[in-house]
């Protein structure tokens, strides 16, 4: 079976129809758990594990706010083995390279994985064919939707929480492992059958908290939930790479030509060096034209915090803090607001922030002539990431811009057909490269505005031709034979399949 | 005309392959100061291969060779001169050095059957070159000069100032001689690459004296230089209005006419025409305002 993009869909799965199809479906929400008793506090993860009465075949979830410093998932993985649990489904919001799950996957203890981002040894083990069940790659908003609808039923959510008070309320803003907002875990908190907060800091009372004790069953005190060095980077920096700076500069000029640098504007950029350079270039234009925007959103950095402090935006809506400055700002600044993954990007949340975005700046490992974008696999088919909020923001924002170098390590990023579709081309409007800007022909309004402003742009076909002229035409990857999982669009339909490496 | 000329080290493949994307009017591939002695051969081979095989080259290609008092300059030319090269930039240039370079270029052009005449851009970085500038500018292949302020200061034994006052005389002299000789006057690079504000000020200092362009040592300087050496938007709009008023006056057979309360005569019309011509060449306007 194939979907509307011509991509293979395993039997029994819902094929992707269009990026607006979800609007014809109603929001589904399972009932919220009512908690009569106060959470029980434990000093040992092992004891809590026993008291949870766990059994094989269950689904455990986690969040990734402690990023590469997270120690919780590995601790639970050890207990899965120690407790001789099998056929477990794991649903972490992201999987980073420090997770040591390969043996549990090989031995059939972990059989299914649901996540929004995946790289490192776990990705390798899955692509080598060791996962006995399926890999479901979701979007951040799609994960929240799946959890609240019961499509992804979580038996136990093991949620790292930098500080918990004696009532069982939790916060990521303070504590030795502070990481800022805990937005990706809120759906898990509200809809998992059991919720366990794992913390290394207990205080008497939190005045401000993101995790409400009414959803919490257990609190476990451990020595450490994470390595602060890996949780947040000290600072995030604007790229100094001249190509990245040129792409950023051209993006800002194009937005100016489109008349998008205007009062009330809202924007989301990533935390990478080039994304920050785009934010910096937009910052300068906003200062020059004395523009005050409405909000910036997404994962935030010190750079975004400075824009808030300068008064360039009224608010920051933050689902994840990427550095210390952002985490500090989230703690002290009332206009730096933490939001849940659902409030951020759930396709069925009527107030989702992504739907209020004017502009989103995103990256790509590949983009094809129909503007379909791949951020899940590299040009050799290896899993190196995933949508995260890519497909959510691309769909929600009024203008979606992809910034990318035309060639990376002598491989063109523009392809006739991307290896894996993460985000459909119907949601992608503009590609900015160092060798030209291409506009999706579907966006006639943008084309008309750029033409009126005498702003130069080219076709995506011409960018493909330049790239292939310089690099040569890469060999086509052989068609994948052994499906190892699927990429879901934000509505849960399958937009593409993932294939094994052998 | 060249507003911005971007220096790219001749031994840096990553920078060379992207040399054409930064919007500079010309790229200077350097074989001199940015290339260590041990790297000269590699740099020559790299630039030569690049110019022969790369499918997208800068619009204007300049090669800065080593000066004629080094053992490298002839090997530089033998390796890199091809039909893709537009200019040779010559350090420590005097009339004799230019004549010697001209003979060598004539020979290579003949051997390699290059039909065009490769131009020479001497670097004026010695007090003696500044004194002899009229003669340098008269040399047939010399179609532009680059002012080298760092070596000029060293030759003069003077320090760099914040205001650039020590460059007032050489810049003025170069601009005037270049204008009289109808060649390009390219200003010295600005070395503090992260200081955009100071770069703007330095560009204005140079352009106010009549320098026509400026070298860049980092891609981030290119756009500022292009903006600084292009006619400002309000000037282009003014020139368009002048030319529109002139057409209307011509239809009425009026020799002299006024615009916004000011008399428009021949020199003003010539200035407006010149602004529109330059703007059109740089692709920033220049169409008559109808």
């Amino acid at each position: 079976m194939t979907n509307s993009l011509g991509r293979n869909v395993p039997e029994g799965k819902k094929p992707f129809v269009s990026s607006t199809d979800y609007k014809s479906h109603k929001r589904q929400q399972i009932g919220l758990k009512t908690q009569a008793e106060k959470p029980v506090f434990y000093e040992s993860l092992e004891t809590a594990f026993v008291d949870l009465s766990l059994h094989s075949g269950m689904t455990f979830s986690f969040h990734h706010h402690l990023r590469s410093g997270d120690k919780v998932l590995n601790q639970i993985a050890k207990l899965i083995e120690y407790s001789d649990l099998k056929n477990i489904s794991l649903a972490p919001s992201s999987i980073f390279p420090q997770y040591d799950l390969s043996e549990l996957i090989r031995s059939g203890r972990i059989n299914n994985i649901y996540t929004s981002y995946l790289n490192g040894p776990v990705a390798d083990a899955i692509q080598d064919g060791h996962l006995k069940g399926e890999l479901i790659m979701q979007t951040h908003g799609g994960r929240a939707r799946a959890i609240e609808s019961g499509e992804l039923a979580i038996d136990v959510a093991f949620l790292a929480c930098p500080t918990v008070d004696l009532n069982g309320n939790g916060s990521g803003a303070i504590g030795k492992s502070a990481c800022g907002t805990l937005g990706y875990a809120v759906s898990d908190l509200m809809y998992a059958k059991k919720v366990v907060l794992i913390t290394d800091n207990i205080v008497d009372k939190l005045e401000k908290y993101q995790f409400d004790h009414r959803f919490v069953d257990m609190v476990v005190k451990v020595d450490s939930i994470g390595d602060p060095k890996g949780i947040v980077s000290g600072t995030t920096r604007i790229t100094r790479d001249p190509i990245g700076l040129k792409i950023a500069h051209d993006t800002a000029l194009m937005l100016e030509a489109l008349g998008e640098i205007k009062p009330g504007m809202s924007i989301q950029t990533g935390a990478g060096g080039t994304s920050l350079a785009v934010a910096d270039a937009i910052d300068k234009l906003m200062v020059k034209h004395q523009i005050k925007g409405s909000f910036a959103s997404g994962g935030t950095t010190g750079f975004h915090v400075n824009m808030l402090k300068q008064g360039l935006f009224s608010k920051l809506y933050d689902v994840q803090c990427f550095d210390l400055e952002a985490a500090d700002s989230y703690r002290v600044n009332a206009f730096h607001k933490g939001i849940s993954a659902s409030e951020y990007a759930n396709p069925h949340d009527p107030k989702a922030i992504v739907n209020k975005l004017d502009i989103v700046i995103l990256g790509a490992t590949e983009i094809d002539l129909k503007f379909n974008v791949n951020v899940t696999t590299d040009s050799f088919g290896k899993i190196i990431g995933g949508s995260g909020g890519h497909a959510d923001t691309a769909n929600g924002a009024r203008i979606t811009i992809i910034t990318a170098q035309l060639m990376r390590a002598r491989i063109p990023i523009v392809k006739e057909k991307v290896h894996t579709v993460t985000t459909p081309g119907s949601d992608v409007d503009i590609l900015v490269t160092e060798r030209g800007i291409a506009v999706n022909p579907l966006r006639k309004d943008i084309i008309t505005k750029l033409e009126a402003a005498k702003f130069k742009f080219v076709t995506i076909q011409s960018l493909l031709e330049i790239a292939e002229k310089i690099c040569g035409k890469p060999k086509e990857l052989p068609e994948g034979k052994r499906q190892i999982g699927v990429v879901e669009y934000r509505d849960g339909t399958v937009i593409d399949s993932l294939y094994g490496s052998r | 005309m060249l507003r911005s000329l971007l220096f790219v080290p001749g031994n840096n493949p990553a920078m060379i392959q992207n040399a054409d994307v930064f919007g500079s009017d010309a790229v200077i591939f350097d074989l001199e100061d940015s290339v260590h002695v041990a790297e000269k051969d590699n740099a020559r081979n790299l630039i030569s291969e690049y110019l022969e095989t790369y499918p997208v080259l800068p619009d204007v290609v300049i090669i800065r060779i080593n000066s004629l008092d080094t053992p490298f300059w002839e090997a530089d030319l033998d390796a890199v001169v091809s039909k893709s090269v537009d200019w040779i930039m010559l350090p420590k240039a005097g009339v004799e050095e230019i004549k010697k370079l001209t003979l060598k270029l004539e020979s290579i052009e003949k051997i390699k059957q290059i039909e065009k005449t490769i131009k020479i851009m001497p670097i004026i970085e010695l007090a003696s070159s500044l004194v002899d500038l009229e003669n340098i500018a008269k040399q047939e292949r010399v179609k532009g000069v680059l002012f080298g302020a760092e070596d000029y200061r060293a030759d003069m034994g003077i320090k760099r100032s914040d205001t650039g006052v020590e460059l007032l005389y050489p810049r003025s002299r170069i601009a005037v001689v270049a204008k009289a000789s109808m060649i390009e006057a390219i200003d010295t690079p600005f070395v503090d690459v992260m200081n955009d504000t100071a770069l703007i000020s330095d560009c204005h200092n140079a352009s106010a004296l009549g320098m026509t362009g400026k070298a860049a040592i980092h891609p981030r300087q290119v756009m500022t230089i292009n903006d600084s050496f292009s006619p400002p938007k309000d000037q282009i709009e003014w020139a368009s209005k002048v030319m529109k008023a002139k057409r209307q006056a011509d239809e009425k057979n009026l020799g002299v006419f006024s615009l916004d309360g000011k008399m428009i005569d021949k020199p003003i019309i010539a200035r407006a025409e010149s602004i529109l011509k330059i703007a059109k060449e740089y692709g920033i306007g220049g169409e008559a305002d109808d």
Side-chain angles (χ1 to χ4, degrees), chain B residues 4 31 40 98 185 188 192 226 243 249-250 255:
Chain B
S4 54
L31 292 172
K40 299 282 185 198
I98 293 166
T188 187
D192 186 359
N226 282 349
M243 296 313 293
D250 285 346

Side-chain angles (χ1 to χ4, degrees), chain A residues 113-431:
Chain A
I113 290 183
Y114 302 80
T115 191
S116 303
Y117 184 92
L118 167 66
N119 67 15
V122 175
D124 296 344
I126 295 171
Q127 281 202 295
D128 285 347
H130 298 300
L131 190 73
K132 291 173 181 58
E134 58 182 4
L135 167 66
I136 310 279
M137 299 289 291
Q138 301 168 313
T139 71
H140 282 324
R143 182 177 185 275
R145 177 204 54 76
I147 292 172
E148 71 171 23
S149 68
E151 188 179 301
L152 172 54
I154 297 168
D155 293 301
V156 186
F158 292 101
L159 305 181
C161 190
T163 296
V164 179
D165 72 13
L166 293 175
N167 289 320
N169 299 308
S171 168
I174 56 172
K176 66 177 180 181
S177 304
C179 58
T181 173
L182 298 168
Y184 291 126
V186 173
S187 299
D188 308 55
L189 176 86
M190 292 168 67
Y191 294 102
K193 288 171 196 154
K194 293 273 182 191
V195 172
V196 181
L197 300 191
I198 302 166
T199 187
D200 51 18
N201 186 41
I202 293 183
V203 296
D204 289 347
K205 193 171 186 328
L206 280 167
E207 294 300 328
K208 197 177 144 191
Y209 48 86
Q210 202 170 11
F211 287 173
D212 191 309
H213 72 274
R214 287 173 297 172
F215 300 109
V216 179
D217 298 277
M218 293 181 176
V219 177
V220 183
K221 170 82 165 46
V222 296
D223 291 339
S224 171
I225 59 170
D227 175 2
K229 282 182 197 158
I231 294 171
V232 283
S233 60
T235 52
T236 39
R237 290 183 192 282
I238 296 169
T239 185
R240 295 184 74 172
D241 169 36
I243 298 287
L245 289 171
K246 175 178 167 53
I247 289 170
H249 179 262
D250 291 352
T251 304
L253 286 186
M254 178 194 63
L255 287 172
E256 192 178 33
L258 284 171
E260 291 295 335
I261 309 294
K262 61 186 178 188
M265 65 182 284
S266 57
I267 191 162
Q268 179 166 328
T269 68
T274 301
S275 292
L276 291 182
V278 175
D280 183 49
I282 291 169
D283 176 325
K284 288 192 170 90
L285 286 177
M286 291 176 81
V287 170
K288 181 177 151 189
H289 299 305
Q290 296 182 310
I291 300 292
K292 180 164 183 167
S294 54
F295 71 88
S297 64
T300 61
T301 68
F303 195 86
H304 300 99
V305 168
N306 282 337
M307 290 179 94
L308 180 67
K309 281 183 188 165
Q310 282 182 75
L312 295 178
F313 290 105
S314 305
K315 288 191 183 78
L316 273 187
Y317 289 114
D318 191 352
V319 71
Q320 177 181 25
C321 300
F322 281 118
D323 63 19
L324 291 168
E325 277 186 69
D328 279 348
S329 166
Y330 167 69
R331 183 169 52 82
V332 299
N333 191 335
F335 297 100
H336 186 153
K337 296 195 175 294
I339 52 171
S340 71
S342 188
E343 291 164 331
Y344 169 50
N346 183 341
H348 292 305
D349 189 322
K351 292 180 181 170
I353 289 295
V354 295
N355 296 334
K356 296 173 186 167
L357 274 171
D358 289 320
I359 298 149
V360 65
I361 314 285
L362 297 165
T365 57
E366 296 181 318
I367 180 167
D368 68 23
L369 295 180
K370 291 183 174 170
F371 284 79
N372 296 310
V373 170
N374 176 13
V375 290
T376 306
T377 55
D378 66 12
S379 298
F380 301 99
K382 185 178 160 66
I383 296 172
I384 45 103
S387 172
H390 199 287
D392 299 312
T393 48
N395 181 242
R398 193 163 48 76
I399 299 177
T400 298
I401 299 169
I402 303 293
T403 57
Q405 299 201 3
L406 186 56
M407 295 152 290
R408 212 174 274 133
R410 291 184 295 152
I411 297 172
I413 70 117
V414 179
K415 300 280 170 68
E416 282 182 21
K417 193 178 165 191
V418 290
H419 185 74
T420 307
V421 180
T422 312
T423 298
S426 54
D427 286 346
V428 176
D429 303 316
I430 299 167
L431 167 66

